[in-house]
Amino acid sequence: MSQPRILDIRKKILNKNDELAHDMRAQFAANGVFVANLVSSPGSGKTELLRRTMIALGDRYVAAAVTGDLATENDAERLAQSGSLTKQILTGTMCHLEADMVANAISDWDLAGIDFLFVENVGNLVCPGDFDLGEDIRVMLVATTEGEDKPLKYPTLINTADVVIINKMDIAEAVECDVPLLERNIHEVRPGAEVFKVSAKTGAGVDEWVDYLQMRFEDKRIQVA
Amino acid sequence: MSQPRILDIRKKILNKNDELAHDMRAQFAANGVFVANLVSSPGSGKTELLRRTMIALGDRYVAAAVTGDLATENDAERLAQSGSLTKQILTGTMCHLEADMVANAISDWDLAGIDFLFVENVGNLVCPGDFDLGEDIRVMLVATTEGEDKPLKYPTLINTADVVIINKMDIAEAVECDVPLLERNIHEVRPGAEVFKVSAKTGAGVDEWVDYLQMRFEDKRIQVA
């Protein structure tokens, strides 16, 4: 029977990942870094949202980002336009980020000088859900172009999300997305999730999301102090 | 060192999958069934394209479909509207379909009475690439809403595709998709791939895709006979 052995080994990898993520979380807290792990389907708009978010935070905070992709440095190059510290993680054939990849990517950064660390996961609505990266919040993006039923069809990842951002609100009408239905489906799978509606392209709604990040950051500072 | 052991076990699973897929391919050929494995991101429009395709084929052929999702029977219900034989595979937390799941799903179907079998994979741009399901063609959908760079950023799956369908052409302009650039990126990663441009929603371009399927079906009949 090979199945149980695989499950055992999978559990071992997860445990190792979780242990490292636990240590990373402590290190982030000690250095006052607030960490958000962004997950979504490919093409939901994570990079553009992140670019805008980092520009908005840039006046008052130091924001940094690591971004995971199978191939290309496109995302890190786009994010670097915000003037922030960025690094690309190339995963090759791997469908998600693991804690050690993030730890390696930021190993030469001085965490004490960073306020926000954003981790842009590989675009995948399933696998990233299993891997804790030491984040404070897991943020899932859902685009209005993806259909209202995605939360119901991919419940495992959304179930681990603290925040759900509905993106591409500017074309919601054009693609006939029933946004209230999408919101109901999000809350059905993940009651209590914080939901924001934005257009990363036009910037609409991004302020509320950035305000929320600042509030969470200040809360963490108070708790740690 | 746990890494090599995992790779060994992964290879074993793949070998087992490939052996079963090989047997299934022989069985499909013996029964004159043409099989297409549809892969894409969540929300690219696989189900709607499939529904239209099966209706279009319905006049002259018998088409059947199995559809994989983590949860919900939504897709099988939508596909059943075409009047075709359909079955939902619920994968739970699994991010892709494997050959044995398809074999189980169709085990009580009479293959001799089926011309086309469509397998709608779990929405995921990475993991389904590793698993042969005994198909004749692997068909990848890319929606104009996902950005032109997706073929470059997710090269492993597209590299295994025989056909690439650009969907949501009806809103390509609204979402400012540079379709010629998207096509160039597809051909850069997967030279020789057959490319179709469709709108599963309006039906535009679907005829060319259905003609192609019929041509491939007739070719297979001639080869097998």
Side-chain angles (χ1 to χ4, degrees):
Chain A
M1 292 291 291
S2 64
Q3 215 59 15
R5 262 180 77 203
I6 296 159
L7 284 178
D8 285 349
I9 289 172
R10 187 169 168 73
K11 215 177 276 171
K12 251 187 233 164
I13 303 174
L14 284 179
N15 285 348
K16 212 180 137 190
N17 185 84
D18 286 352
E19 274 169 31
L20 177 56
H22 179 266
D23 293 347
M24 287 163 72
R25 188 168 279 115
Q27 212 190 338
F28 292 140
N31 286 283
V33 187
F34 186 83
V35 184
N37 175 5
L38 272 74
V39 298
S40 83
S41 281
S44 297
K46 290 187 294 303
T47 312
E48 187 57 17
L49 178 67
L50 213 43
R51 199 184 61 82
R52 275 197 187 272
T53 302
M54 294 207 296
I55 289 172
L57 289 169
D59 292 339
R60 299 182 52 199
Y61 301 95
V62 177
V66 293
T67 178
D69 278 298
L70 277 70
T72 85
E73 304 257 340
N74 293 1
D75 284 2
E77 282 163 19
R78 268 173 75 196
L79 289 177
Q81 293 169 8
S82 67
S84 302
L85 202 59
T86 59
K87 196 168 280 181
Q88 181 79 48
I89 301 176
L90 292 179
T91 66
T93 59
M94 184 97 90
C95 55
H96 60 271
L97 288 179
E98 298 186 8
D100 61 344
M101 296 168 162
V102 176
N104 288 338
I106 64 172
S107 60
D108 56 354
W109 287 358
D110 174 21
L111 290 182
I114 295 173
D115 298 316
F116 287 93
L117 173 64
F118 296 99
V119 181
E120 185 184 342
N121 223 306
V122 178
N124 182 329
L125 265 194
V126 189
C127 318
D130 285 342
F131 294 87
D132 184 358
L133 305 180
E135 69 263 26
D136 293 286
I137 53 170
R138 191 169 291 180
V139 182
M140 177 167 166
L141 262 75
V142 183
T144 57
T145 48
E146 293 166 15
E148 302 87 355
D149 62 346
K150 288 305 157 299
L152 305 179
K153 288 171 71 181
Y154 298 84
T156 48
L157 183 59
I158 198 169
N159 207 26
T160 71
D162 306 288
V163 175
V164 180
I165 297 182
I166 304 177
N167 191 25
K168 306 195 185 179
M169 284 297 295
D170 56 306
I171 52 169
E173 239 183 83
V175 299
E176 294 172 24
C177 176
D178 182 343
V179 178
L181 174 61
L182 175 55
E183 285 190 83
R184 280 200 302 280
N185 289 341
I186 290 167
H187 288 299
E188 190 181 321
V189 179
R190 184 65 175 96
E194 200 78 43
V195 177
F196 296 94
K197 286 178 272 189
V198 312
S199 165
K201 191 172 163 197
T202 68
V206 173
D207 283 351
E208 287 81 352
W209 152 242
V210 171
D211 286 348
Y212 171 82
L213 280 173
Q214 293 186 52
M215 186 198 71
R216 291 293 307 259
F217 173 80
E218 302 299 342
D219 278 358
K220 188 177 180 181
R221 283 261 154 126
I222 293 163
Q223 280 170 23
V224 172
Chain B
M1 292 290 292
S2 64
Q3 215 58 13
R5 262 181 79 202
I6 295 161
L7 285 177
D8 285 349
I9 288 173
R10 187 170 168 73
K11 215 176 278 172
K12 251 188 230 164
I13 302 174
L14 283 178
N15 286 348
K16 212 180 137 189
N17 185 84
D18 286 352
E19 275 169 31
L20 177 56
H22 178 267
D23 293 348
M24 287 164 71
R25 188 168 279 115
Q27 213 190 337
F28 291 141
N31 285 282
V33 187
F34 187 83
V35 184
N37 176 5
L38 272 74
V39 298
S40 82
S41 280
S44 297
K46 290 187 297 302
T47 312
E48 189 57 17
L49 177 67
L50 213 43
R51 199 185 62 81
R52 275 197 187 271
T53 302
M54 296 208 294
I55 289 172
L57 289 169
D59 293 341
R60 300 182 51 200
Y61 301 94
V62 177
V66 293
T67 176
D69 278 298
L70 277 70
T72 84
E73 304 258 340
N74 293 2
D75 284 1
E77 282 162 19
R78 267 172 74 196
L79 290 176
Q81 293 168 9
S82 67
S84 303
L85 202 58
T86 59
K87 196 168 281 181
Q88 181 79 47
I89 301 175
L90 292 180
T91 65
T93 58
M94 184 97 89
C95 55
H96 60 271
L97 289 179
E98 296 184 11
D100 62 343
M101 295 170 163
V102 177
N104 287 339
I106 64 171
S107 61
D108 56 353
W109 287 358
D110 175 21
L111 290 182
I114 295 173
D115 299 316
F116 287 93
L117 173 64
F118 296 98
V119 181
E120 184 184 343
N121 223 307
V122 177
N124 183 328
L125 266 193
V126 189
C127 317
D130 285 342
F131 295 87
D132 184 359
L133 305 179
E135 69 264 25
D136 292 287
I137 52 170
R138 190 169 291 181
V139 182
M140 179 167 167
L141 263 75
V142 183
T144 56
T145 49
E146 292 167 15
E148 301 87 357
D149 62 346
K150 287 304 157 298
L152 305 180
K153 287 171 70 180
Y154 298 84
T156 48
L157 183 58
I158 198 168
N159 207 27
T160 72
D162 306 287
V163 175
V164 179
I165 298 183
I166 303 177
N167 190 25
K168 306 196 186 180
M169 284 298 294
D170 56 306
I171 51 169
E173 238 183 82
V175 299
E176 296 173 22
C177 176
D178 182 343
V179 178
L181 173 61
L182 176 56
E183 285 190 84
R184 280 200 303 279
N185 288 342
I186 290 167
H187 288 299
E188 189 181 322
V189 179
R190 184 64 176 97
E194 200 78 44
V195 177
F196 295 94
K197 286 178 271 186
V198 312
S199 165
K201 192 173 162 194
T202 67
V206 173
D207 283 351
E208 286 82 351
W209 152 242
V210 170
D211 287 347
Y212 171 81
L213 281 172
Q214 293 185 52
M215 186 198 72
R216 292 292 308 257
F217 174 80
E218 300 300 342
D219 279 357
K220 187 178 181 180
R221 282 261 154 126
I222 292 162
Q223 280 170 22
V224 171

